[in-house]
Amino acid sequence: MSEDSLVLAFETGGTKLVAGVAGPDGRLLRTESVRRGEHDQAPQSFRRVVAAADGLLAQPEFSGRRLRSIGFGFGGTVRRSSNSPHLCLHENGWEDIDVESELKRRFGVPVIVENDCKLAALAESRFGAGAGARSLFYVTLGTGVGGGYVRDGRILACGDLGEAEIGHVVVDPEGPECCCGNRGCVEALCSGPGLRRLCLLVAGLHPDEWRSSSLARAGAEDLVTSERIIASWLEGDSFATRVVEHSASKLAMALATTVNLLVPERIVIGGGLGGSSPRLLDLLRRYTAPLVVPYFRDSYTIVASQLGESVVTQGSAVLAAQHVAGPPDNPG
């Protein structure tokens, strides 16, 4: 692409909508965030984020520059064969929107739709914690748990509906039910809501320890959040330590399996919960290493995301730039 080219990037996540404009290398130049209305569904959200993109492109700094492609980061599964959103667990109606056709009609350029966690992996590989590594596995710990794998600067796409679903690896078959319908998934034990549910389950098993915890003394059970659990753990609370260590040990099982299967050079941990404390990463490193096959233990590192809240939008922009550039040369 020429130096005056632009790409457009979208993100539709659990709580926010983002539009962004990037240069020909995919690096974001400007973004605009839009909050959903309280009762919005997919059609309203789509209109809001497209309007935000219109506003960005109308800025004087982009006057005369040519839009070349669009990347659309979707907070749910994507059907790659039809280049369309498939399933969103937090907002209804996306499966009825022909995102590709609607955006092509509005902006007149090619569109590529991809899952948000895969795009986060791509962004970290290009501009973040994975720069310089040939392979990267990204894990987001937040409202849910998702994953993405990048090799040689490209998303490793294995299936029509995706891959790298680390959040739905079962690590405790007798564990709590997950939103996917299975029991004991990583997401059910290690996401923000999962950590809270785990806390209440452990409270029932260890009532005396719970009652002596700062979490119990702070107020009603419905006020216990993952943020408070992490804060109590960092303060040395023994009950919170039991909860966090149990959750981390289950995530470590999935991370070690990932290393044994894919041998990524970098595992990047992101998301609101994932970025809550460097000590959490230290705990994950300590629990993961003994579960990795010995001859792979020196092949990977676990690091924190560097791109923060912009990671998905940035990944959308990178994918849009790659979509125009075409397939990569064979790295050999």
Side-chain angles (χ1 to χ4, degrees):
M1 286 192 290
S2 62
E3 287 300 314
D4 65 345
S5 296
L6 297 173
V7 298
L8 194 57
F10 290 98
E11 174 185 353
T12 64
T15 58
K16 64 177 181 175
L17 306 164
V18 184
V21 176
D25 62 349
R27 189 181 292 275
L28 285 172
L29 301 173
R30 289 193 63 177
T31 62
E32 180 72 27
S33 296
V34 183
R35 291 290 171 181
R36 287 188 176 88
E38 183 180 356
H39 303 294
D40 281 1
Q41 295 296 312
Q44 292 81 20
S45 293
F46 187 60
R47 285 196 295 270
R48 285 176 185 269
V49 77
V50 170
D54 284 335
L56 282 174
L57 290 173
Q59 295 298 313
E61 64 191 284
F62 302 129
S63 177
R65 299 182 67 174
R66 181 185 176 193
L67 183 66
R68 295 293 305 275
S69 64
I70 296 173
F72 191 90
F74 180 62
T77 56
V78 167
R79 188 174 293 281
R80 289 173 174 147
S81 58
S82 59
N83 196 30
S84 62
H86 173 252
L87 175 65
C88 179
L89 296 175
H90 58 257
E91 188 174 50
N92 295 326
W94 281 104
E95 65 277 9
D96 297 322
I97 299 176
D98 189 340
V99 168
E100 180 182 15
S101 293
E102 292 290 335
L103 292 178
K104 273 187 175 179
R105 181 162 46 247
R106 174 67 189 83
F107 297 102
V109 296
V111 178
I112 181 79
V113 181
E114 186 53 272
N115 167 263
D116 54 356
C117 290
K118 316 321 178 209
L119 294 171
L122 183 62
E124 291 287 351
S125 174
R126 180 70 177 272
F127 294 123
R134 187 173 182 185
S135 57
L136 173 149
F137 194 94
Y138 177 87
V139 182
T140 182
L141 299 177
T143 304
V145 178
Y149 188 73
V150 169
R151 182 171 174 82
D152 295 323
R154 298 272 172 160
I155 295 169
L156 182 68
C158 299
D160 190 28
L161 293 178
E163 59 286 314
E165 287 287 1
I166 191 171
H168 299 292
V169 173
V170 175
V171 290
D172 182 1
E174 304 302 318
E177 186 173 355
C178 181
C179 63
C180 74
N182 289 334
R183 303 190 70 88
C185 294
V186 168
E187 184 164 309
L189 293 161
C190 307
S191 65
L195 188 63
R196 179 184 180 276
R197 287 193 297 270
L198 176 62
C199 175
L200 299 180
L201 286 172
V202 174
L205 296 173
H206 302 276
D208 293 338
E209 192 174 354
W210 161 251
R211 283 190 290 269
S212 66
S213 168
S214 60
L215 291 167
R217 294 194 301 270
E221 287 185 358
D222 60 359
L223 297 178
V224 174
T225 63
S226 59
E227 292 84 359
R228 295 185 72 172
I229 295 167
I230 293 295
S232 295
W233 167 60
L234 293 172
E235 292 167 359
D237 184 278
S238 61
F239 176 83
T241 297
R242 181 190 293 274
V243 173
V244 172
E245 289 186 349
H246 182 79
S247 178
S249 70
K250 297 304 182 182
L251 178 57
M253 293 171 63
L255 293 177
T257 299
T258 298
V259 174
N260 289 342
L261 288 174
L262 297 174
V263 203
E265 291 180 39
R266 308 263 171 86
I267 296 176
V268 179
I269 308 294
L273 179 57
S276 60
S277 169
R279 279 182 55 190
L280 183 59
L281 263 66
D282 289 338
L283 191 63
L284 289 173
R285 294 182 187 109
R286 178 156 54 90
Y287 281 160
T288 300
L291 304 178
V292 173
V293 66
Y295 46 82
F296 286 162
R297 287 178 188 164
D298 295 328
S299 67
Y300 73 97
T301 55
I302 298 176
V303 298
S305 165
Q306 292 182 358
L307 299 180
E309 290 191 359
S310 69
V311 65
V312 174
T313 314
Q314 179 61 83
S316 296
V318 173
L319 187 64
Q322 290 181 344
H323 191 51
V324 175
D329 295 331
N330 190 335

